[in-house]
Amino acid sequence: MTALDPQEGWYAILLRSEGDAITAHLAGRTVPPWDLVSSLLDDLQLKRGLTDSARERAREQHRTAVRAHDRRAGRPALHDALKHALAERDTADARIRGLYQPAAEGGAQQSAVDLFQIRDRHERAVARCLELQSRLSVFDADHSPGPHPQSATPRAGAVQPTAPRGPLPRRRGVGIASATLAALAFGAPAHASVPMPDDDPTPPAPAEEEVEAAAEAHRLAVVTAARLAELRAAGAGGQAYILLCEAAARPCRDSVALIGELHDTGQTEEIPTFLWEAACLPPRQLAELAAALHDAGRTEDVRSLLHNAASRPADDIAAVTRALLAADRIVQVDALLQPLMKAHRHHQAVLVAQADASLVPAILHSARRASEQDHRDMVRALRSAGVG
C-alpha cells in the first residue's frame, strides 16, 4: 500500500467512498472484497507494472485468505455480511432509479463524475452480494459430510478493473460482461448468451425475414419481461440484474422491443437499470440503439441512454459521436454532446475534442444549435485548452 498515492486513481476514489472499511482491512480485522483488491492492483500496475501471473497469484492468495477468514468467523457472520451487502445494493439501486424520477427532470443535471460514482457503487454492491453468495456456498460445501472437491473455491463475483483512462478510471467487466460472472455465482451455466457485437453493420433483411425478426423480438421481449416480474416477486434482485445485463447486450431491435414491453406492462422501474447497462455497449452498437429508440419514438429513453453514456471516458464519447455522425443522427449527437457544455462542464466537451480534434466542428455546431451563448462559451473553452 505504501507504493500507492492516496490522492490518485482508484485508491483515492475508494478512500473517499469507504475509508472506514479500508482502515479495517489494513488493520487485518476484515478481508477486503475482491473488487477492491483488484482496483488497487490496477493502481499498482500503473506505478510499477504487474504481470498476469502476479495478478493471478494475488487472486489465489485472496481466495485462501477469504476461506480461512470464513472458517474462523462462521456462517452467521457470513450471513450478516450478506444482509449488509444486500442493503447496500438496494440503496445503490434506489440511487440509480432516483436519477430518472420525473421530479428530477427540472433539477440540475448529474455531472459525469456523479454518474461514474453512482455506477461504480452499484456495480461493486452487486459484485459483493454475488461474492458473498458464493462464499456461503463454499462454506456450506466445506462443512457438509463427505469429500470436499478442490474445485469448490469460488471464482465468481470478481469485477476486473483496468487501468484508469481519461479523467476517470474505468473498470473492465462493467455491465454486460458482469452478467456471465454473476451467472456463475448463482450456479447457472456460463453459456454464450451474451453476444459480442460485430463491427460490420448487418445487411438489411428481406421483407419476410424482417417481419419474422420483429415477431421474434416481440416474443423475446414478452418472455423477458415476464421473467423479470417473476424474479422481482420472488425477491431475486440479483438474478433480475443478470437478466437485464444479458438483455442489454442483445441486438438493438430486441432492446427496443423489450423497453416497449416494459412500458406496456408497467415495469418502467426496470428501464433505468437497462439503459444504465446499455450505455456500456461498444460505440457502434450504442449509436445504433440510440437511433433505433429515436425511430421508435422513445425520445426520453434516448436522452437517458446518452446521458448515461456521457459519463464514459472522453475517447469513448468521441467514438460514439463519430458513429452517430456517420449515420447522420444529428439529434442524437446533440443529446450526447450538449449536456457536456452546460455550466461547469465545458471541460468534458474539451476532453472529447482533445481525444479527437476532427470532432471540433461537430462540437461547435452542436453548441450553436443549443444557443449562441453556448457556442461562444464553447469557443472560449476550446481556445483556452489550445484545441481547434
Side-chain angles (χ1 to χ4, degrees):
M1 295 296 290
T2 57
L4 300 181
D5 187 342
Q7 303 300 318
E8 293 182 356
W10 283 112
Y11 192 21
I13 292 173
L14 292 166
L15 280 176
R16 287 195 296 271
S17 62
E18 48 187 306
D20 291 343
I22 290 178
T23 299
H25 300 324
L26 292 176
R29 295 193 295 272
T30 58
V31 179
W34 174 246
D35 69 90
L36 190 152
V37 176
S38 190
S39 293
L40 297 182
L41 286 175
D42 276 349
D43 281 356
L44 186 61
Q45 183 170 1
L46 285 179
K47 293 286 186 181
R48 295 183 174 179
L50 193 68
T51 64
D52 290 342
S53 60
R55 181 182 288 275
E56 184 55 32
R57 284 196 301 272
R59 185 69 175 109
E60 292 297 337
Q61 291 168 358
H62 181 264
R63 293 188 189 107
T64 301
V66 162
R67 206 160 184 173
H69 173 272
D70 292 347
R71 280 197 300 268
R72 290 193 305 270
R75 198 179 198 284
L78 267 176
H79 188 263
D80 288 345
L82 179 58
K83 284 176 60 178
H84 176 75
L86 289 169
E88 290 287 329
R89 187 202 64 196
D90 291 344
T91 299
D93 282 343
R95 289 195 70 191
I96 286 180
R97 288 174 178 150
L99 291 174
Y100 300 96
Q101 294 301 318
E105 291 179 1
Q109 292 275 347
Q110 294 281 340
S111 71
V113 174
D114 290 337
L115 288 171
F116 172 85
Q117 290 175 340
I118 293 171
R119 184 194 297 273
D120 180 64
R121 295 314 306 164
H122 180 263
E123 288 160 358
R124 289 184 189 276
V126 171
R128 291 173 190 184
C129 289
L130 299 173
E131 183 176 335
L132 284 163
Q133 288 269 15
S134 184
R135 285 166 61 179
L136 269 169
S137 298
V138 171
F139 182 90
D140 290 342
D142 284 347
H143 291 79
S144 63
H148 302 145
Q150 294 298 316
S151 62
T153 302
R155 299 184 63 89
V159 177
Q160 298 284 344
T162 58
R165 14 184 331 214
L168 294 168
R170 185 182 179 210
R171 290 208 304 281
R172 180 168 67 247
V174 165
I176 296 162
S178 64
T180 300
L181 296 171
L184 288 171
F186 278 106
H191 52 75
S193 62
V194 184
M196 294 302 293
D198 193 343
D199 287 337
D200 296 326
T202 303
E208 184 176 345
E209 293 182 10
E210 191 77 16
V211 172
E212 291 177 356
E216 175 60 20
H218 177 69
R219 185 198 66 79
L220 186 59
V222 171
V223 170
T224 302
R227 180 59 178 154
L228 272 173
E230 291 174 1
L231 291 172
R232 293 298 185 191
Q239 295 183 57
Y241 177 71
I242 294 169
L243 190 58
L244 286 169
C245 288
E246 291 182 336
R250 294 173 188 155
C252 61
R253 184 201 306 273
D254 294 347
S255 295
V256 173
L258 177 58
I259 289 175
E261 184 67 17
L262 292 174
H263 276 290
D264 293 344
T265 57
Q267 298 180 75
T268 54
E269 71 280 358
E270 303 289 359
I271 295 174
T273 302
F274 179 86
L275 294 175
W276 194 263
E277 297 304 322
C280 298
L281 289 168
R284 182 187 293 274
Q285 192 174 353
L286 176 59
E288 289 175 353
L289 177 57
L293 286 171
H294 175 80
D295 292 346
R298 303 287 183 191
T299 55
E300 185 60 26
D301 292 329
V302 175
R303 186 200 68 80
S304 297
L305 175 69
L306 295 177
H307 186 60
N308 291 343
S311 67
R312 292 171 65 159
D315 55 349
D316 281 7
I317 298 175
V320 176
T321 303
R322 288 194 298 270
L324 290 170
L325 287 170
D328 198 25
R329 294 288 179 165
I330 303 304
V331 172
Q332 286 73 57
V333 169
D334 288 348
L336 178 63
L337 295 180
Q338 287 178 358
L340 305 181
M341 305 171 190
K342 300 306 179 184
H344 309 300
R345 296 188 66 193
H346 286 96
H347 68 284
Q348 291 295 117
V350 169
L351 289 171
V352 174
Q354 290 173 332
D356 185 348
S358 70
L359 293 177
V360 168
I363 292 171
L364 290 175
H365 286 315
S366 185
R368 188 184 296 278
R369 284 190 292 272
S371 72
E372 286 299 325
Q373 184 61 51
D374 283 327
H375 181 260
R376 288 192 293 269
D377 291 343
M378 196 68 250
V379 169
R380 282 196 295 269
L382 290 170
R383 285 177 178 168
S384 297
V387 183

